[in-house]
Amino acid sequence: MSKTALTVVPPGSTIGMLGNGQLGRMTALAAANLGYRVHVFGPDQDSPCAQVAATETLAAFDDWAALEAFARSVDVVTLEWENIPTATIDFLAARVPTVPGSAVLAVAQDRVAEKTFANNLGIGTAPFRAVNDVESLRAAVAELGTPSILKSTRMGYDGKGQVRLAPDSDLAAAWESLRTDAAVLEGFVTFACEVSVIVARRSDGVMAAFPVVENRHAKGILDETVVPAAVTPAVAEEATRIARALTEALGVVGLLAVEMFVTPDGRVLVNEMAPRPHNSGHWTMDFCATSQFEQLVRAVCGLPLGATDILAPCMMKNLIGDDVDQWHALLAEPGARLHLYGKAEARPGRKMGHVNRPR
Ligand code: AMP
């Protein structure tokens, strides 16, 4: 549980951002609002973040010469993608404050490590077994039963790298389809709803949690976030306690988003966590006293954390693929707040923007 003196990186400084997607873009916009410059580092041409950042390095995460120059040009480094190689984070951390650190990423990059970490703190998850081949998959299915979900341990997101198993599933085919040698079998959780909590933490240990929100998924991708979540005060308190406990135990500096299942009998189980801004926090841009992106800047720069009060009950809807074609009607809708990410091509399943609305 790392806790250090607070180093303040004042406005006018340059924040280095690893990863150049929409989360980096919205962080860069919030940073600019507080007088910071953002230098984005990532491998993608014409990226959502590079379009709004002050400076860009277009390079791979193992381009050490580019990373060396990047480290010299920034005052603090953070990230918008938890799968940045830990070697990259360690290289930068030896040269410039880099948060969250590689120990946090090592846990967040691996579904087995993530669930083990939570369980070791007494926090519940779906029952799970690590699986490395068809034989260990058969053994795990014999123990956990079906329905269950087979997920690749690393690099899974938005329902990718997952197979649902039913009693009659062909296990050999399911294993082949994942194309991995490290997976996890999870028992299927019958949930009443899915919720998430985002916690900000500074290097001196000061934390602030955003309110509990409800997430509705479609085809494994977040579709809508409803704010606040319609859960009992006891469930909200427990979800917040869990998210804060994980943030503190991991020693996160920046943000930690924790996705959880709420069971019909009111238990709260951790599904996943991500040490970065999260899609379920996009509502904060228009309906919270402080946006998650500004809060990230505040946390990594050692500024006072902002208030997290809900300004009005609201809803966030993702615009996936050609949903984005509705932009004209959404702009005409009273009260709707449209955010587009500047992506040229609206491929199916691609997050193109979102809309926040009062409800
Ligand atoms: P994930 O990539 O782990 O966040 O999974 C995407 C979505 O699939 C989750 O938000 C849930 O809706 C569903 N899901 C994942 N794991 C489970 C599980 N063990 N039991 C029930 N539903 C799950």
Side-chain angles (χ1 to χ4, degrees), residues 67-80:
L67 286 165
E68 178 78 54
F70 175 69
R72 267 189 262 113
S73 75
V74 299
D75 299 293
V76 63
V77 174
T78 192
L79 50 93
E80 59 115 51

Side-chain angles (χ1 to χ4, degrees), residues 82-280:
E82 67 275 23
N83 292 312
I84 307 287
T86 52
T88 302
I89 302 294
D90 288 336
F91 180 92
L92 291 170
R95 291 160 174 79
V96 61
T98 300
V99 289
S102 61
V104 176
L105 294 194
V107 174
Q109 289 175 356
D110 183 309
R111 290 184 188 273
V112 172
E114 209 168 60
K115 288 189 216 305
T116 305
F117 191 89
N119 290 170
N120 287 343
L121 292 175
I123 294 167
T125 58
F128 69 97
R129 295 287 182 277
V131 166
N132 299 96
D133 50 27
V134 189
E135 286 67 47
S136 54
L137 176 59
R138 287 193 201 290
V141 171
E143 286 186 79
L144 298 183
T146 52
S148 47
I149 306 190
L150 181 65
K151 302 180 182 179
S152 57
T153 306
R154 304 176 79 86
M155 291 288 182
Y157 68 100
D158 287 348
K160 296 190 177 102
Q162 300 193 10
V163 195
R164 288 197 180 201
L165 301 181
D168 59 351
S169 291
D170 177 341
L171 298 187
W175 177 254
E176 283 306 313
S177 74
L178 274 196
R179 296 173 184 283
T180 183
D181 56 5
V184 59
L185 184 74
E186 293 182 19
F188 194 84
V189 177
T190 306
F191 53 78
C193 65
E194 293 186 80
V195 299
S196 60
V197 174
I198 299 171
V199 179
R201 184 175 178 274
R202 295 193 316 206
S203 61
D204 62 348
V206 170
M207 294 195 283
F210 284 97
V212 184
V213 299
E214 179 177 341
N215 300 316
R216 298 177 186 158
H217 293 81
K219 297 183 199 149
I221 307 181
L222 182 65
D223 178 32
E224 291 177 344
T225 296
V226 181
V227 185
V231 292
T232 63
V235 165
E237 205 174 296
E238 177 63 357
T240 307
R241 184 195 70 78
I242 287 172
R244 291 177 73 105
L246 288 167
T247 305
E248 186 156 49
L250 283 165
V252 174
V253 176
L255 300 180
L256 186 72
V258 183
E259 293 184 71
M260 291 164 272
F261 300 122
V262 180
T263 64
D265 59 353
R267 284 176 306 133
V268 181
L269 305 175
V270 167
N271 177 28
E272 271 200 299
M273 46 199 176
R276 53 161 172 80
H278 194 258
N279 196 167
S280 69

